[in-house]
Amino acid sequence: MKVVVASANPAKIHAVHTALSQIFTGQLINCSGQSTLSGVAAQPMSSAETLQGALNRLQAVVDNTPGADYYVAMEAGLDGDCSFAWIAISHQGCISKTRSASLPLPPAALLAIQQGEELGDVMDRMFAQHNVKQQGGAIAMLTNHLLTRSGVYQQAIILAMIPFMQPQLFKQ
């Protein structure tokens, strides 16, 4: 099975591979990443902007890499005082999308983001880390590593796969 992720971020590619391996047990999954542009701000500030970024990334990877079985895009952003991600998956021309769990952000992080910084950079500074966003993410830092960005994405990816896992229930 060929899967293309609309990102070169190892945490996102790993999340997709792990989630699809849980769904398609025993099947060889070739999961590759491709850097794509979101077409929205580097730090989306609303659910609508975050969803648009995920859909833009999904369309770009579908257009640039024909022949995959599944295409997966993720875009993290803010919704009020929480961070979350939209997941969008394309399979045979059909799109499914869902949100990840939301995590509350500390007031100092929200202020820095509202002043133009990206969440990953804020977390790097707050926790004296480097490149948190390609590792456990803000989720790992804020939960003392009880959860990771990749793990939360895995859940959302599996949820977004429901229409493809149960197609008979989603026919219109």
Side-chain angles (χ1 to χ4, degrees):
M1 173 183 304
K2 181 178 177 183
V3 180
V4 182
V5 181
S7 176
N9 184 324
K12 292 181 178 182
I13 296 167
H14 175 74
V16 172
H17 188 268
T18 302
L20 295 184
S21 293
Q22 289 178 281
I23 295 168
F24 301 107
T25 56
Q27 193 163 350
L28 179 63
I29 299 171
N30 177 2
C31 191
S32 62
Q34 181 180 99
S35 184
T36 59
L37 296 176
S38 69
V40 299
Q43 180 61 72
M45 299 298 284
S46 70
S47 179
E49 184 181 17
T50 306
L51 175 58
Q52 190 59 59
L55 293 173
N56 290 347
R57 288 183 191 278
L58 185 65
Q59 189 61 55
V61 78
V62 167
D63 291 346
N64 294 333
T65 317
D69 297 294
Y70 290 91
Y71 299 92
V72 183
M74 292 161 264
E75 184 73 16
L78 293 184
D79 191 3
D81 61 356
C82 291
S83 177
F84 77 102
W86 271 105
I87 311 297
I89 300 177
S90 177
H91 173 64
Q92 297 178 346
C94 295
I95 295 175
S96 177
K97 58 190 181 302
T98 193
R99 286 176 56 141
S100 72
S102 298
L103 64 142
L105 296 176
L110 284 170
L111 181 61
I113 291 166
Q114 290 165 350
Q115 293 174 347
E117 291 188 63
E118 286 187 53
L119 178 58
D121 297 332
V122 174
M123 290 293 110
D124 282 347
R125 188 175 63 255
M126 288 180 102
F127 289 93
Q129 298 291 311
H130 176 72
N131 205 14
V132 163
K133 66 182 175 182
Q134 291 197 356
Q135 300 166 36
I139 296 166
M141 300 285 80
L142 293 170
T143 64
N144 296 328
H145 299 277
L146 294 173
L147 299 174
T148 64
R149 182 181 195 189
S150 185
V152 170
Y153 283 173
Q154 285 172 35
Q155 288 181 337
I157 292 161
I158 291 169
L159 293 172
M161 286 293 294
I162 289 172
F164 308 124
M165 296 165 61
Q166 307 292 338
Q168 71 282 5
L169 301 176
F170 289 84
K171 290 185 180 179
Q172 295 182 357

